[in-house]
């Protein structure tokens, strides 16, 4: 439609939200659907965080805050970055945004000129390419194979860098694969970046705290202090603190970039809710013991799903280091025929078959830039996961 801006023709609505919407529609039409598409913990926000929000309302903390966020929250973020990551930041180097997604949006809008390249390892979180395109940048995809644990190698990074490269985006643990970079994996990449001073790194550490089997999380500026002046470290409370609806994410980086991001935010949302900011202070400064408890539950679910999917004919499911997703290969079902005569040619055909035949909603790998795979979020009950995996096994066995 001519009335709609040209820039929107470059992007698409979030495919993960589209799957959740389709699953909800089928459910409303009476179908027994198990949704494994949503990227959020099923646990409720801990009580001490809710209490801080209620106290903030009663104390009248209901007015505008600074664009970058309250001083109390930015101080709590500085302490967190020091405590968990050994990184020194001052509160003016921090910006709080309406979720991690807005941090990425602010950063891209503040830094990209038309044609600037952004290296995005695939499979990637669906928003990285589209936010890059909206900001008139050019995504440069690097396929990270299952053989290398869905991680980018130093040689791949070296080959992707051009004089136009502005950013490398890293996301560990990853949405959609759950893959995470060890110190050595990360050092191999930071060694390459040290040789290319024009390339900045945007590290999305959203799943930092959701790791298993004693995996030790690392972030680029910690692994290579020489990159501190060209690293934007992104994080938030959505996933580990079970606060997706509160909309609090944050960025830490060089003052000039944070100031530019504040300029962008000052002309869009101004800031996230004052109440959510008070809750995030309680999350970052308060008791963290619930995270280990939640991770123990997630790990049990991960092991259950990996085992059951590997028992399904034609599927191969790697064991991820973190987050709450698995990214199984469905290469073994390509070319097979469904009981009603449809040939499965793509991972989208496969997830459509799972939804229509068994009522299991997953997201096709093509949406994340690497096929033929699909993503399952295991942030739901053991009962639902067992039932869903039984149905997937049955659907695979019915293919000829
Ligand atoms: N980064 C990654 C890798 C994510 O998976 C998500 C949410 O799915 C986000 C950022 C955004 O989180 P938020 O809900 O805080 O915007």
């Amino acid at each position: 439609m001519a009335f709609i801006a040209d820039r929107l023709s470059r992007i698409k609505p979030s495919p993960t939200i589209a799957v959740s919407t389709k699953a909800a529609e089928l459910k409303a039409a009476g179908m027994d659907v198990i949704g494994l598409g949503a990227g959020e913990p099923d646990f409720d926000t801990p009580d001490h965080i809710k209490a801080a929000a209620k106290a903030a309302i009663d104390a009248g903390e209901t007015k505008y805050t600074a664009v970058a966020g309250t001083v109390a929250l930015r101080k709590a973020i500085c302490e967190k970055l020091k405590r968990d990551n050994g990184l020194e930041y001052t509160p003016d180097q921090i910006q709080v945004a309406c979720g991690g997604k807005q941090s990425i949006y602010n950063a891209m809008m503040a830094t990209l000129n038309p044609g600037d390249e952004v290296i995005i390892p695939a499979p990637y979180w669906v928003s990285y390419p589209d936010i890059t395109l909206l900001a008139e940048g050019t995504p440069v995809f690097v396929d990270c194979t299952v053989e290398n644990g869905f991680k980018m190698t130093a040689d791949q990074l070296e080959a992707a860098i051009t004089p136009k490269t502005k950013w490398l985006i890293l996301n560990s643990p990853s949405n959609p694969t759950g893959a995470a970079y060890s110190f050595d994996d990360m050092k191999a990449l930071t060694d390459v970046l040290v040789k290319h001073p024009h390339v900045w790194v945007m590290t999305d550490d959203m799943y930092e705290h959701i790791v298993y089997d004693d995996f030790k999380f690392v972030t680029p500026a910690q692994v290579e202090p020489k990159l501190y002046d060209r690293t934007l470290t992104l994080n938030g409370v959505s996933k580990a603190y079970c606060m997706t609806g509160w909309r609090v994410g944050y960025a830490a980086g060089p003052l000039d970039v944070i100031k530019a991001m504040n300029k962008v935010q000052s002309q869009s949302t101004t800031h996230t809710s004052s109440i959510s900011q008070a809750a995030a202070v309680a999350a970052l400064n308060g008791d963290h013991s619930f995270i280990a408890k939640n991770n123990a539950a997630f790990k049990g679910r991960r092991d259950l799903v990996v085992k059951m999917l590997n028992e399904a004919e034609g599927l191969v499911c790697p064991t991820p280091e973190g987050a709450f997703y698995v990214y199984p290969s469905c290469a073994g079902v390509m070319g097979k025929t469904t009981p009603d005569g449809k040939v499965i040619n793509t991972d989208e055909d496969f997830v459509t078959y799972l939804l229509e035949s068994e009522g299991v909603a997953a997201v096709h790998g093509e949406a994340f830039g690497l096929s033929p795979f699909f993503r399952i979020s295991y942030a739901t009950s053991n009962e639902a996961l067992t039932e869903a995996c039984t149905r997937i096994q049955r659907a695979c066995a019915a293919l000829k």
Side-chain angles (χ1 to χ4, degrees), residues 101-124:
K101 192 180 274 183
Q102 195 191 16
S103 299
I104 299 165
Y105 183 85
N106 289 342
M108 295 299 190
M109 291 301 277
T111 61
L112 291 183
N113 287 315
D116 283 347
E117 292 177 359
V118 177
I119 299 175
I120 304 177
Y124 44 73

Side-chain angles (χ1 to χ4, degrees), residues 98 297 369:
C98 303

